[in-house]
Amino acid sequence: MQTATLHFVDHSPMVALIGNPNCGKTAIFNALTGSHQKVANYAGVTVERKEGKLSLGEPGKTLRILDLPGAYSLYPRSLDERVTHDVLKGLAAGEKRPDLAVCVVDATNLRRTLKLALAVQRLGLPCVLALNMSDLAEKRGLHIDPQALSAHLGMPVIPTVGIQAQGVAPLKAHLIERFLNNPAPLQTPIVNAPLDDAPDSHDAQRIQRILRELGLDHIQPDTLSEQIDHWVLHPLWGPIILGFVLFVVFQAVFALAITPMALIKDASVALGDYCASMIDSELLRSLVVDGLVAGVGGVLVFLPQILILFFFILVLEESGYLPRAAYLLDKLMGSVGLSGRSFIPLLSSFACAIPGIMAARTISNTRDRWVTIMIAPLMTCSARLPVYTLLISAFIPQTLVAGTFSLRGLVLFALYLMGIAGAMLVAWLLKRFTSEGSLTRPLMMELPSYHWPTAKNVAIGLWQRAKIFLNRVGGVILLLTLLLWFLASFPLPDEHFHGQPIEVSFAGLLGHALAHVFEPIGFNWQISIALIPGMAAREVVVSALGTVYALSSQAGDITSTLGPMLAQSWSLASALSLMVWFVFAPQCLSTIATVRRETNGWRMPLMMLSYLFILAYAASFITYRLALSLGLG
Amino acid sequence: METYQSLAKLPKLEKAWVKTLRPQASQNLLARQLEEIGFVPGEQVQVLSKALIGGDPMVVRVGQSTFALRQAEAQLIEVTQEP
């Protein structure tokens, strides 16, 4: 009866991949489906849903492959495990119950990974066991007889090597043979098994028995991983190595991105110029050049940094280092009420808060995820850099401190630190003053064996990140950019007006009104106006200041002309106050839009907006007043 | 002679075997989770590393896999030094 209520456009049979985290399931998924993947969310929850297609070799005949979130058991604890549980039972909204479950197990760790396969089998789904990492098992002297194992388990057993191109061929062949001559989906009776209560220890005994009979019950130490871990997890050397790794990643993100960023910038300027020369109507030209091209180009320019950062994150993740970094940082994060798991989203936020907030999905604890999202915008994203660069070069003298450190470099470093300290403070306050915050949550994080990352998996991961980011640029960000262009351009000034048109626009009026609010923290009306278009992307403030101060926004090197102008018209106290404002202020509407999407509501984004605003205002106020009292006005 | 102690107190790199999980009423879920990731009676365990401050968290090898655990979690696992 249950199947009658489901309506699907795609009637192809569906295969679900299921397995423990770190068993190589995603590598098998990539090998089976290549680039034919769709990444979306499950209905109603922010759990990533990955589906791909495997061609059965005859026109029009394909197999849908669903990569379920990794789980240790079918007992639904985290959001991920709930989805896996529901899909396998046919309970998930809008999901067809799979026709076949491919249970991926780690051949070097059958004792633990077989448990899930037995639990899936008990649901009454037809199962196939993919004996993954079979090459590693062989290498370690574990000779597994697939036929014998299959006889014990009552399901086909196919050895696979997910990270090799040919390593998945037997599984592929099995799937094709199974479904090609079976056009009607296999009938799978819904077994309403109880929530899998008792059988855990029972399964453990059964697995123990099987392994003993197959001569696989001895423990094979993974000596290489243990040797690496001896250093990487060392109480003293571990943190030093981590610090070095982070340093290299950051250096690379900034150094390697310079050329592609300049290219994107030049291309968007050239495109703007070209459009400007093609369009006669002044208003339309402004819409296309100042609104569309400049706005989208201004966000797109961060793609290289985001991709480079994600390249490193993916490589570190694939190699198995990231969970170790999270372990090393757990104590530090724990002191402010977070766990090591928040480390990856926060690291991503240094490129851009948007991928960082999306990466917070991997945090299973709702409260931790929530706090991580809240503090992600305080990590200094790369969009703040152009603003910092402009202000620092205009106001901070190029002198050496203690004979070695550049004062400008130190100020930049201090701004980064201020963001981190602010984030820690907010997290600590949330720990201190919320009831849930003081509870310690389990860590229980697996540290998988080290692997060489494979180019294919890294490339697919990068491609997916890029697609998500570009979709966003094409959607929300484009809309916001156009809205802000409208605010900055209308109403049009009448003929007798001699100032800059932006002054009489909606944004200008708003800026003049805001100037009263910002006067106590040292911002004049020019700054207040520039902050409004800056809501599209922080670095737009630079070109907006250029507009307000009547400089051509088309000049490629705006910093060199705008800097001296600002140095003349602002006090040092105002400049410092503005820098501090940029550390904390909720300046980026795209981030707010992302938070709304990720949390399914307006409560969180509104809370984020207000707390960041209060924090920024207070910090700028203190900075400004302190600077004034030191005679820097 | 058999000696029992909690995994949290096991010296670094010393081999031991899981005896039982202490199912404290409020922490049933925790015990269950530990069981799922491989802390079942008879399984071999070894503490690989402990954090510099207070030994919390710690890295534990259980069977063929390695997990990072908090002291609070390790305290739920009773181990014996003989298989």
Side-chain angles (χ1 to χ4, degrees), chain A residues 72-73 75 77 81 108-109 111-112 115 140 142 195-197 200-201 204 218-222 226 229 233-236 324 327 330-331 338-340 440-449, chain B residues 12-13 17 29-46 48-54 56-70 72-73 76:
Chain A
Y72 288 109
S73 77
Y75 190 83
R77 195 173 313 99
E81 286 168 340
T108 66
N109 193 349
R111 201 183 319 214
R112 196 193 74 216
K115 257 202 256 177
R140 289 195 205 151
L142 286 166
L195 202 59
D196 207 12
D197 258 338
D200 255 12
S201 51
H218 51 292
I219 288 176
Q220 286 291 328
D222 175 8
E226 261 172 40
D229 275 344
L233 299 179
H234 190 275
L236 182 66
R324 287 164 169 89
Y327 158 76
D330 186 70
K331 194 78 194 169
L338 288 171
S339 79
T440 42
R441 283 162 298 283
L443 183 64
M444 286 193 224
M445 182 170 53
E446 186 172 4
L447 308 180
S449 301
Chain B
K12 211 163 124 175
L13 296 179
W17 285 263
L29 202 66
L30 215 58
R32 185 189 171 99
Q33 244 171 307
L34 285 168
E35 204 167 290
E36 273 170 27
I37 62 174
F39 289 94
V40 288
E43 191 65 279
Q44 186 182 313
V45 291
Q46 192 179 16
L48 293 184
S49 180
K50 287 185 177 188
L52 203 52
I53 314 153
D56 189 20
M58 58 208 278
V59 180
V60 180
R61 175 150 271 258
V62 48
Q64 300 277 28
S65 21
T66 311
F67 277 86
L69 295 184
R70 295 239 163 82
E73 292 142 37
L76 296 181

Side-chain angles (χ1 to χ4, degrees), chain A residues 134-253:
Chain A
S134 49
D135 57 332
L136 272 180
E138 240 357 91
K139 228 179 268 174
R140 289 195 205 151
L142 286 166
H143 304 293
I144 304 169
D145 177 358
Q147 259 86 44
L149 185 58
S150 170
H152 276 288
L153 295 174
M155 60 173 98
V157 173
I158 302 168
T160 58
V161 183
I163 54 168
Q164 277 174 17
Q166 280 311 303
V168 184
L171 177 63
K172 209 182 245 181
H174 177 93
L175 291 178
I176 290 174
E177 193 198 307
R178 186 162 186 150
F179 285 97
L180 195 56
N181 303 317
N182 235 331
L186 302 166
Q187 289 302 310
T188 54
I190 310 271
V191 176
N192 215 349
L195 202 59
D196 207 12
D197 258 338
D200 255 12
S201 51
H202 182 253
D203 279 352
Q205 281 163 19
R206 184 175 162 207
I207 291 168
Q208 184 67 31
R209 209 168 46 237
I210 294 174
L211 293 182
R212 198 180 311 127
E213 273 177 44
L214 297 179
L216 300 168
D217 59 337
H218 51 292
I219 288 176
Q220 286 291 328
D222 175 8
T223 39
L224 182 64
S225 281
E226 261 172 40
Q227 277 165 5
I228 300 174
D229 275 344
H230 177 70
W231 294 101
V232 165
L233 299 179
H234 190 275
L236 182 66
W237 291 110
I240 293 175
I241 293 171
L242 175 62
F244 179 74
V245 168
L246 290 183
F247 178 78
V248 169
V249 169
F250 270 81
Q251 282 294 313
V253 166

Side-chain angles (χ1 to χ4, degrees), chain A residues 497-503 525-527 529-530 541-555 558 561-562 565-566 569:
Chain A
F497 183 74
H498 293 298
Q500 287 302 311
I502 193 175
E503 275 184 54
W525 65 264
Q526 285 95 335
I527 300 180
I529 290 182
V541 167
V542 174
S543 59
L545 279 172
T547 311
V548 182
Y549 282 103
L551 291 169
S552 158
S553 61
Q554 289 297 313
I558 200 165
T561 43
L562 186 58
M565 175 96 92
L566 297 183
S569 43

Side-chain angles (χ1 to χ4, degrees), chain A residues 30 310-311 314-315 318 453-463:
Chain A
N30 286 344
F310 268 110
F311 170 77
L314 284 167
V315 167
E318 280 249 324
T454 57
K456 184 176 181 180
N457 289 333
V458 172
I460 289 179
L462 268 185
W463 169 235

Side-chain angles (χ1 to χ4, degrees), chain A residues 597-609:
Chain A
R597 228 190 70 143
E598 292 290 303
T599 60
N600 284 326
W602 280 108
R603 206 172 80 94
M604 294 278 283
L606 288 178
M607 277 174 65
M608 179 186 270
L609 262 177

